[in-house]
Amino acid sequence: DEEGKQQSKDLTGPNHLIKLQTLERNIKTILTSLFRPGVLNLQRITYQETPASIIEQIAFKEAVHPLQSLQDLRTRLGPGRRCFAFFHPALPNKPLVFVHVALLQEIPKSMSDLQYATESNATCATFYSITSTEPGLAGVELGNHLIKSVVHVLQNEYPTLTSFCTLSPIPKFNNWLEGKIVRYHEGLLKKQQSKQDSEDNGSDSPLRFMDDGFLHPSELQQLQSIFSSESSLLDLLETLKSPTWHTSASTSTNKGEGSVSTLVGKLQPVLMKLAAYYLTIERHHGRPLCPVAKFHIRNGAEMYRLNYMADTSSKGMRNSCGLMINYRYLLDEIETNRVKYEINGDVVARDGVKCWLNGVGNNEEN
């Protein structure tokens, strides 16, 4: 009709971008109202009582840690574990967002620690996977509301709980690191090409791996020693491309430098430092690059501890070299952290993360 044609013309005119942004904001406002916490229903998902069709959706749409088997599903819904989902009254059989929780006696350092989930004497509730099933609701803060609702339920069910944390992936760390290394070597080639000009001008400052000299020359020399190569960063990148580098004999260091386990140990300080830098220092528009970090920090959490070789699945090694991080929710500080982040972009990082920036090889709890 004529009205529809006029609306279409309005969205393709000279100010179409502004109009589309306004339309997007209006749609987000409407969806936020329709899917607000007071409207949504929180349900616990169990193997015994939840309809099979809903369990099937949760199994297939799990985005963080894909299910490996039927037994894996039973474990995630079994003793010491919890799964909760939000439903809308108009969509009673469609989970909009769901979260998996493990009840533990301490903050976990790896995915394997989740096997110690227990119903008795649990003091730590660990959120280890949260998945939104509807891309169209990406701008609606369902995950934030889900975590707060689940914390309230668990507090009532388990008065012994004193810690609420996550065991989270660092999904784009490998991509970021690859980009850094590629740009560094591109700059190195340019420096070599202009070396004569620099010498003529009496300037021959070393090219640094990071803009602020984050990796010191001594650390780059250490990598050269590990790989017995002057192109050590490229060798590091090539090694990390294999999701089995931590177990494969083909990734042993050159010239008899050592075994795979030795390589894993030698790379720990460098990889942990790079991850700490990526999470706490590298920013875009004053906010962390990592989407998972932005989600939890925006919700009021703090960066608690980096964990090495915490997820050695193929996906975990490809995305983040097996590294994971705990975000901790201190209930008395959530609102303060959230406001500081929203206003100034402030991120609270504890010693379990910050120590790696100082080259300290000890990340004990503080």
Side-chain angles (χ1 to χ4, degrees):
D1 58 10
E2 290 300 323
E3 183 179 353
K5 291 179 180 179
Q6 181 61 40
Q7 290 177 346
S8 177
K9 183 178 180 181
D10 290 342
L11 293 177
T12 57
N15 297 321
H16 67 282
L17 181 58
I18 295 176
K19 293 175 180 177
L20 284 173
Q21 290 172 337
T22 302
L23 177 62
E24 181 182 28
R25 286 194 297 269
N26 291 339
I27 292 175
K28 180 179 177 180
T29 300
I30 294 171
L31 290 175
T32 300
S33 176
L34 290 173
F35 292 91
R36 63 188 183 276
V39 174
L40 301 175
N41 298 320
L42 178 69
Q43 295 181 25
R44 180 183 169 187
I45 308 300
T46 67
Y47 205 77
Q48 293 76 22
E49 299 179 5
T50 303
S53 60
I54 293 178
I55 293 178
E56 184 178 16
Q57 291 179 67
I58 287 177
F60 280 106
K61 294 192 175 183
E62 166 61 39
V64 183
H65 300 291
L67 286 162
Q68 303 300 313
S69 63
L70 181 60
Q71 181 57 45
D72 188 12
L73 175 62
R74 287 174 175 165
T75 298
R76 296 189 193 195
L77 301 179
R81 306 286 188 103
R82 294 291 184 272
C83 180
F84 294 93
F86 265 152
F87 294 82
H88 193 278
L91 302 166
N93 298 314
K94 190 173 186 61
L96 302 174
V97 58
F98 59 89
V99 64
H100 287 285
V101 187
L103 303 173
L104 300 162
Q105 294 182 344
E106 61 182 6
I107 296 177
K109 295 182 178 181
S110 69
M111 288 298 295
S112 62
D113 286 350
L114 302 186
Q115 66 182 303
Y116 303 114
T118 177
E119 296 281 340
S120 61
N121 301 320
T123 60
C124 175
T126 300
F127 302 89
Y128 62 93
S129 175
I130 183 165
T131 299
S132 296
T133 64
E134 293 298 321
L137 296 176
V140 182
E141 294 190 355
L142 296 178
N144 177 17
H145 299 313
L146 179 61
I147 289 177
K148 290 179 179 178
S149 299
V150 170
V151 166
H152 180 71
V153 170
L154 292 176
Q155 280 183 309
N156 291 334
E157 186 178 358
Y158 292 95
T160 58
L161 290 176
T162 57
S163 299
F164 295 90
C165 71
T166 77
L167 183 60
S168 301
I170 313 173
K172 296 187 178 181
F173 172 63
N174 270 25
N175 290 341
W176 169 82
L177 181 57
E178 180 177 356
K180 279 287 184 183
I181 291 176
V182 169
R183 285 192 294 274
Y184 170 77
H185 277 276
E186 287 176 349
L188 193 61
L189 287 175
K190 291 179 181 178
K191 181 176 176 62
Q192 291 171 345
Q193 291 170 359
S194 62
K195 184 176 181 180
Q196 187 60 48
D197 294 338
S198 298
E199 290 176 353
D200 292 341
N201 295 328
S203 172
D204 192 23
S205 58
L207 183 72
R208 297 176 298 185
F209 177 52
M210 298 291 185
D211 295 337
D212 58 357
F214 171 63
L215 277 190
H216 302 296
S218 60
E219 291 168 320
L220 292 173
Q221 289 174 2
Q222 184 179 12
L223 283 175
Q224 290 176 1
S225 174
I226 292 173
F227 290 102
S228 300
S229 168
E230 292 186 0
S231 58
S232 56
L233 284 170
L234 291 178
D235 291 330
L236 172 64
L237 186 59
E238 193 62 30
T239 296
L240 298 179
K241 285 181 179 179
S242 169
T244 60
W245 70 266
H246 60 299
T247 59
S248 173
S250 64
T251 59
S252 296
T253 51
N254 297 333
K255 299 181 181 180
E257 280 278 331
S259 65
V260 172
S261 61
T262 303
L263 176 62
V264 171
K266 286 182 176 181
L267 290 182
Q268 179 178 5
V270 172
L271 291 178
M272 295 287 268
K273 189 173 187 179
L274 288 166
Y277 184 99
Y278 170 66
L279 289 166
T280 64
I281 296 177
E282 197 83 320
R283 298 289 184 102
H284 179 66
H285 296 311
R287 298 295 186 265
L289 290 182
C290 178
V292 176
K294 281 194 287 190
F295 171 78
H296 289 294
I297 299 302
R298 188 175 63 243
N299 293 343
E302 63 180 22
M303 294 183 181
Y304 179 66
R305 183 179 61 208
L306 269 175
N307 303 291
Y308 191 57
M309 289 294 132
D311 179 8
T312 54
S313 68
S314 179
K315 181 178 180 180
M317 297 301 294
R318 276 197 317 270
N319 290 343
S320 57
C321 308
L323 275 61
M324 301 188 78
I325 181 173
N326 302 116
Y327 296 98
R328 183 170 63 170
Y329 285 86
L330 295 177
L331 303 186
D332 293 337
E333 299 179 17
I334 286 177
E335 187 60 21
T336 300
N337 291 345
R338 189 191 68 78
V339 171
K340 286 183 177 179
Y341 176 75
E342 289 295 335
I343 295 175
N344 301 316
D346 292 347
V347 174
V348 179
R350 297 299 179 183
D351 287 345
V353 176
K354 291 191 300 182
C355 69
W356 295 103
L357 291 172
N358 299 323
V360 178
N362 179 11
N363 61 339
E364 293 299 317
E365 297 180 13
N366 288 289

